[in-house]
Amino acid sequence: MADDELEAIRRQRMAELQAKHGDSAKNQQGEEAKQRETEMRNSILSQVLDQSARARLNRLALVKPEKVRSVEDYLIQMAQYGSLAGKFILNQVARAAGAYAR
């Protein structure tokens, strides 16, 4: 092989390795961001829901995950705007889920 061919192969291989490493770094950053978001959601929800209400949402998530996600988003938004007076209890969550789903 000529030196030019060998150099071209090296450059191509180097570009492949850099592309592969760059993609894995992006995936890792995406996973870390998703994990931080999940931790933040759980932290806020643990502050605004009592244990029985959180347990009920977790049970409901087994059957209707999209509905639970909507209710959780609603509760997080209310908490961020400061419109929650205290922790939601079980019957308040049931009412909120019913009202929000309509």
Side-chain angles (χ1 to χ4, degrees), residues 28-38:
Q28 185 178 8
Q29 289 174 349
E31 290 294 323
E32 289 173 358
K34 189 181 285 188
Q35 185 178 5
R36 281 192 303 272
E37 179 187 347
T38 301

Side-chain angles (χ1 to χ4, degrees), residues 40-90:
M40 182 189 72
R41 288 178 65 83
N42 288 335
S43 173
I44 292 172
L45 290 171
S46 68
Q47 293 173 10
V48 299
L49 296 171
D50 74 347
Q51 254 184 334
S52 61
R54 186 74 176 138
R56 178 161 182 161
L57 277 180
N58 287 336
R59 287 192 307 271
L60 185 60
L62 297 173
V63 180
K64 297 183 179 183
E66 64 282 344
K67 184 174 182 176
V68 170
R69 180 71 178 201
S70 297
V71 171
E72 287 176 346
D73 290 344
Y74 174 70
L75 292 171
I76 289 171
Q77 184 178 18
M78 288 177 61
Q80 288 174 336
Y81 289 130
S83 58
L84 294 178
K87 285 194 172 196
F88 262 54
I89 57 173
L90 185 61

